[in-house]
Amino acid sequence: MRVIISEVSRRDCPSLALFPVGDVHIGSKACDETALKEVIGHIKAMPNARWIGMGDYCDFINQRDPRYDPSVLADWVSMSDLSDLAGAQKRYFLDLVRPIADKCVGLLQGNHEASIVKHTERDIYSEIVTSIKSDGGHDSDKPLGLGYYGWVLLKFLDHKRKKQDWSWTCRLNCHHGFTGGRLAGAKALNAQRWAWTHPSANVVLMGHSHNTSVQVEQVEHVTPQGNVYTHNITVAYCGSYLRSTTPNATTYSERMGMLPMPVSRIVVHINPHWSQPNQDSSVRIETIPTK
């Protein structure tokens, strides 16, 4: 587990729109690249936008992987790409996100990045982190890689105060995900358990299961002085850019009998209460299905 602290100035971002980008599966024929490019365009155009990588950026299923199926490769994959399929997919993904590399606040590793290490002993996740640092003009020693699980602390600063800087921190608990299943019940229960066992979080972001859902849980605290207060935790599954079906090929979802799910995404809107720093600030999560 790793912790990244990212400062946000009120001058630049009086409020912030955070886009989780994960479960993209670049290199698969079923990847909705049009939807991804649309989101990248939004992030680039919005001054107050940031993004966090949720893992599974590419399909990363090489020929030595038992899941390999040439019929589900993207149309742009050429014969020469097969000699280093993971490298070709990585370069394609990095070319897409290069315009927004400077707005990245953290990058999770997904199970598809982990599988490359298992099958080829290649740490392609670290290659992605290093490239996005370089493309975004981040310092080489800036922490950007979270691994499979970690925290991102968005520290909102108001430098207009004379005596001391005012700050409020939005605590994001981020996990690539571990929940499976065809129906929503197990996912909702795991989200609830995770929120209650991570009571410091304001927001929990999860991927892997390809669904989008948002639920708000609450934890109760008591101070040594006997004052009772509650704290809301918003838990979200962040969606996917991988279609369940695609023409002229049988996808993994179809082979495994998974129920169809829409290509969809979320946006986390964070609005600090600048005038009342002692109050909980507003967090709203928007779910956006692809048209």
Side-chain angles (χ1 to χ4, degrees):
M1 180 191 66
R2 299 170 188 170
V3 179
I4 292 175
I5 300 176
S6 182
E7 294 185 351
V8 182
S9 169
R10 179 183 184 181
R11 179 181 61 253
D12 301 326
C13 289
S15 63
L16 188 142
L18 181 70
F19 292 75
V21 178
D23 292 292
V24 182
H25 295 275
I26 284 289
S28 169
K29 188 186 294 288
C31 172
D32 192 336
E33 294 182 15
T34 300
L36 176 63
K37 292 173 183 176
E38 179 183 333
V39 171
I40 290 171
H42 287 324
I43 297 171
K44 181 181 178 181
M46 295 173 60
N48 68 328
R50 299 292 185 273
W51 67 283
I52 179 169
M54 296 298 297
D56 285 1
Y57 309 106
C58 304
D59 220 32
F60 290 142
I61 298 178
N62 286 355
Q63 295 179 67
R64 279 184 280 178
D65 191 312
R67 299 170 297 172
Y68 177 75
D69 179 358
S71 70
V72 296
L73 292 176
D75 293 337
W76 55 261
V77 176
S78 66
M79 289 296 295
S80 61
D81 289 332
L82 296 180
S83 62
D84 182 11
L85 183 56
Q89 293 175 351
K90 179 198 73 171
R91 290 189 295 273
Y92 195 97
F93 172 73
L94 291 173
D95 285 344
L96 289 174
V97 300
R98 187 169 291 116
I100 59 170
D102 60 321
K103 293 187 173 185
C104 182
V105 299
L107 294 161
L108 286 168
Q109 180 189 40
N111 57 290
H112 282 248
E113 284 81 37
S115 71
I116 286 293
V117 178
K118 177 180 178 180
H119 293 290
T120 68
E121 300 180 359
R122 178 179 181 179
D123 188 2
I124 205 159
Y125 165 69
S126 293
E127 296 177 25
I128 291 172
V129 173
T130 300
S131 294
I132 289 180
K133 278 187 186 182
S134 175
D135 292 343
H138 302 284
D139 292 338
S140 59
D141 59 350
K142 176 183 174 65
L144 205 61
L146 285 164
Y148 218 84
Y149 161 66
W151 293 79
V152 174
L153 307 184
L154 296 176
K155 189 172 184 180
F156 290 83
L157 300 175
D158 184 355
H159 298 289
K160 293 182 178 180
R161 307 276 171 142
K162 293 182 179 180
K163 293 184 179 180
Q164 61 182 10
D165 292 343
W166 177 92
S167 69
W168 174 77
T169 300
C170 184
R171 300 177 295 274
L172 300 164
N173 183 271
C174 309
H175 200 297
H176 171 66
F178 50 86
T179 301
R182 289 167 173 78
L183 301 178
K187 301 168 188 178
L189 289 173
N190 275 323
Q192 194 172 47
R193 294 186 187 101
W194 195 262
W196 288 346
T197 53
H198 295 78
S200 295
N202 299 105
V203 178
V204 174
L205 299 176
M206 288 189 179
H208 182 63
S209 56
H210 290 200
N211 64 304
T212 48
S213 68
V214 179
Q215 59 197 80
V216 181
E217 306 297 340
Q218 193 171 82
V219 290
E220 185 177 274
H221 308 267
V222 61
T223 69
Q225 294 76 31
N227 298 316
V228 177
Y229 66 97
T230 57
H231 167 63
N232 287 349
I233 304 173
T234 306
V235 187
Y237 287 100
C238 299
S240 173
Y241 293 87
L242 191 69
R243 295 185 295 266
S244 298
T245 62
T246 192
N248 304 317
T250 301
T251 65
Y252 175 82
S253 295
E254 291 173 306
R255 289 199 304 272
M256 299 303 294
M258 304 300 292
L259 302 177
M261 282 194 293
V263 171
S264 58
R265 57 185 171 87
I266 68 165
V267 183
V268 184
H269 299 280
I270 305 170
N271 296 283
H273 287 307
W274 296 104
S275 61
Q276 302 178 60
N278 293 324
Q279 292 191 6
D280 279 343
S281 290
S282 165
V283 174
R284 177 177 63 87
I285 296 185
E286 179 183 10
T287 302
I288 305 174
T290 298
K291 295 181 181 179

